[in-house]
Amino acid sequence: MHQFIHRACLAVLGLLAAPIATAQDYPATQVTLVVPFAAGGPTDKVARDLAEALRKPLGQTVVVDNVGGAGGTRGAAKVAKAAPDGYTLLLHHIGMSTAQALYRTMPYKVPDDFEFLGMVNDVPMTLIAKPQMAASNYGELVAWLQANKDKANLANAGLGSASHLCGLLFMQAIKTDLVTIPYQGTGPAMQALLGNQVDVMCDQTTNTSSQIAGGAVKAYAVTSSKRLGTPALAKLPTLDELGLKGFNVSIWHGVYAPKGTSKAVLDKVQAALKVALADAEFVKRQEALGAVVVTDARTQPAEHRKFVEAEIAKWTPVIRAAGQYAD
């Protein structure tokens, strides 16, 4: 009997010591970076570059796991419910601040169910149109949209997508409601635009830069506060300078861990993220996509959290005014 009790006590002590050992040894095996969207999309491109940049400071392979569906909430929910051991992380975009306004029921709460690790980048948006669009400049485009608002259509990559959110804000800014056509992802939406099946779209530079550079679409403006420096986008004016004062939309990305992850593990991931964001090859690849790597205080967990909370306050009234919800 005494031997049984002794063994039981040792087992309990072993369980109590395990998290400490795990934190000290972290990471002892590969880390999974969940992307809540399909492979090949803008966020997936950022994730794969980041995974490579994180591999060096973490000393382990970082595997990208695409868990798409439900506007990014399915993948985010997977991470929220994962073991809080640092081996399952989330890379998510602006959807972290908009999902709770878009969906009537949610499997998690932001910011309650996540640990915030830091921002990665800011990705400006571009206002583009089909190849056969007659408008040669922004003024002509808006005039055409307003004159044809009953038949003009605006494509997006689905409810809660970056293109959906930018489109909502654009329609409010020009005081014109257009027919919106949601697609199952960025790829199909872009293909519809390239095929002249839809008229306009507002989407991330990570998805549009190559199409603009190749002349496959018509480009009118960027949504950043100042003009961009990349060759494909340098000549595009900002919507602010074209008259939509204060129009500044960027689709940022951040890294998260499940709530309850130990501080020791969080510190290691955050330190690795800091190294990754300074990696010259990562910065180069992001710049090629028109993205700007974050270097300010938002790379720190507390400022990251504060920024997301401010974004929730910004987007919730925009979405509710549009009356667009999903079950």
Side-chain angles (χ1 to χ4, degrees):
M1 181 66 177
H2 291 294
Q3 187 177 16
F4 173 79
I5 294 173
H6 177 68
R7 287 177 179 174
C9 289
L10 287 176
V12 171
L13 289 172
L15 287 172
L16 291 173
I20 299 174
T22 300
Q24 290 174 341
D25 298 339
Y26 177 86
T29 186
Q30 72 178 30
V31 175
T32 297
L33 183 63
V34 173
V35 176
F37 302 102
T43 300
D44 180 64
K45 293 175 185 176
V46 174
R48 293 183 186 278
D49 288 345
L50 182 63
E52 177 59 25
L54 283 170
R55 179 181 60 81
K56 304 168 190 175
L58 284 176
Q60 290 288 349
T61 300
V62 179
V63 178
V64 174
D65 181 19
N66 296 95
V67 184
T73 61
R74 188 170 297 154
K78 178 178 180 177
V79 177
K81 296 173 183 177
D85 54 13
Y87 288 98
T88 305
L89 304 174
L90 172 69
L91 177 78
H92 205 344
H93 64 22
I94 195 172
M96 283 294 276
S97 65
T98 61
Q100 292 196 192
L102 283 164
Y103 290 87
R104 298 182 191 279
T105 58
M106 287 281 289
Y108 56 86
K109 290 184 178 180
V110 180
D112 299 347
D113 294 337
F114 297 92
E115 303 288 353
F116 289 64
L117 287 159
M119 303 287 289
V120 174
N121 64 12
D122 285 310
V123 185
M125 310 286 281
T126 50
L127 180 63
I128 58 177
K130 62 185 181 182
Q132 293 180 1
M133 174 60 69
S136 60
N137 57 50
Y138 172 77
E140 291 181 3
L141 176 66
V142 172
W144 185 87
L145 292 174
Q146 292 176 335
N148 296 277
K149 61 181 181 180
D150 293 333
K151 64 178 181 179
N153 51 55
L154 177 69
N156 66 56
L159 186 70
S161 65
S163 50
H164 172 229
L165 297 169
C166 186
L168 285 181
L169 205 59
F170 177 66
M171 286 189 292
Q172 287 187 15
I174 65 171
K175 298 180 174 59
T176 306
D177 289 330
L178 304 173
V179 177
T180 57
I181 303 180
Y183 287 85
Q184 295 298 313
T186 300
M190 178 60 78
Q191 287 302 312
L193 191 75
L194 292 171
N196 293 293
Q197 297 167 16
V198 290
D199 299 313
V200 291
M201 183 164 68
C202 184
D203 205 4
Q204 303 174 62
T205 57
T206 46
N207 188 47
T208 63
S209 291
S210 61
Q211 304 292 355
I212 293 170
V217 297
K218 287 197 171 183
Y220 297 91
V222 292
T223 68
S224 50
S225 59
K226 58 183 180 180
R227 295 196 182 200
L228 303 177
T230 55
L233 308 171
K235 294 182 179 180
L236 292 179
T238 69
L239 284 172
D240 181 88
E241 68 182 270
L242 289 170
L244 298 186
K245 296 301 179 184
F247 196 107
N248 182 10
V249 179
S250 67
I251 304 303
W252 44 267
H253 292 85
V255 180
Y256 309 83
K259 187 71 174 180
T261 303
S262 72
K263 184 178 185 303
V265 169
L266 292 174
D267 287 347
K268 287 187 176 183
V269 178
Q270 207 278 326
L273 180 60
K274 184 176 180 180
V275 173
L277 296 182
D279 183 272
E281 184 61 27
F282 177 73
V283 172
K284 180 181 177 181
R285 290 188 178 191
Q286 293 304 290
E287 288 178 345
L289 294 171
V292 179
V293 175
V294 174
T295 58
D296 57 42
R298 293 175 298 160
T299 60
Q300 300 301 312
E303 289 299 316
H304 179 192
R305 176 183 289 271
K306 188 184 299 183
F307 175 80
V308 173
E309 289 173 344
E311 287 285 278
I312 291 172
K314 170 185 174 179
W315 283 103
T316 297
V318 173
I319 293 166
R320 288 179 177 170
Q324 298 192 18
Y325 301 97
D327 293 327

